[in-house]
Amino acid sequence: MTVRGYETDMLGHLNQSVYLNYAEHARWSLVQAAGVSQESLIAKGVGPVTLETTIRYKRELRAGDEVEVTCDFHMDESKIFRVEQTIRKTDGTVAAEISATGGLMDLKERKLVADPREYFRALATDPRLFGL
């Protein structure tokens, strides 16, 4: 991604809320690359939810900077999973580290499903992208 001028604050830094947009974009890109669409999740009666997000800012980003955003899912037997992400400049400089806790919500019951891995395995053409 390229940091756009309108995403910066008065100091010329990438606005703090945009880091979340970059992270969300990378998560959905991974989900889609794994073969899971929003439509297929809704058809199964579930939707992803974010329960907590922590951002650790390391270095500033400015308009024109090129960055990549990594995305690693970590799932176990619990209702929740972790997503670890790094926003890195093309020269390797880490600009931010983002840790998120999420789950899959049953859209009718409005509660987290017991095992989100079950849904990701069933829907994904490449579940390895979820660490499965």
Side-chain angles (χ1 to χ4, degrees), residues 15-30:
N15 183 281
Q16 50 89 22
S17 66
V18 179
Y19 287 84
L20 293 172
N21 290 335
Y22 285 9
E24 183 77 5
H25 178 76
R27 286 194 299 270
W28 275 110
S29 293
L30 183 143

Side-chain angles (χ1 to χ4, degrees), residues 17-103:
S17 66
V18 179
Y19 287 84
L20 293 172
N21 290 335
Y22 285 9
E24 183 77 5
H25 178 76
R27 286 194 299 270
W28 275 110
S29 293
L30 183 143
V31 168
Q32 291 171 335
V36 179
S37 67
Q38 288 179 329
E39 294 82 12
S40 66
L41 288 164
I42 291 168
K44 282 280 194 187
V46 296
V49 293
T50 301
L51 304 170
E52 178 180 81
T53 303
T54 301
I55 304 173
R56 288 174 296 286
Y57 302 98
K58 301 289 191 172
R59 295 287 184 269
E60 67 183 1
L61 290 174
R62 295 183 165 276
D65 284 345
E66 297 283 332
V67 298
E68 70 173 9
V69 184
T70 64
C71 187
D72 294 308
F73 278 73
H74 301 275
M75 297 188 194
D76 57 23
E77 300 83 32
S78 70
K79 293 180 180 183
I80 61 172
F81 51 83
R82 287 182 309 105
V83 183
E84 299 294 334
Q85 298 181 264
T86 302
I87 299 177
R88 183 177 285 115
K89 292 183 180 184
T90 54
D91 68 3
T93 302
V94 174
E97 296 170 337
I98 301 166
S99 297
T101 303

Side-chain angles (χ1 to χ4, degrees), residues 9 16 47 53 118 132:
D9 60 20
Q16 50 89 22
T53 303
E118 170 188 325
L132 302 174

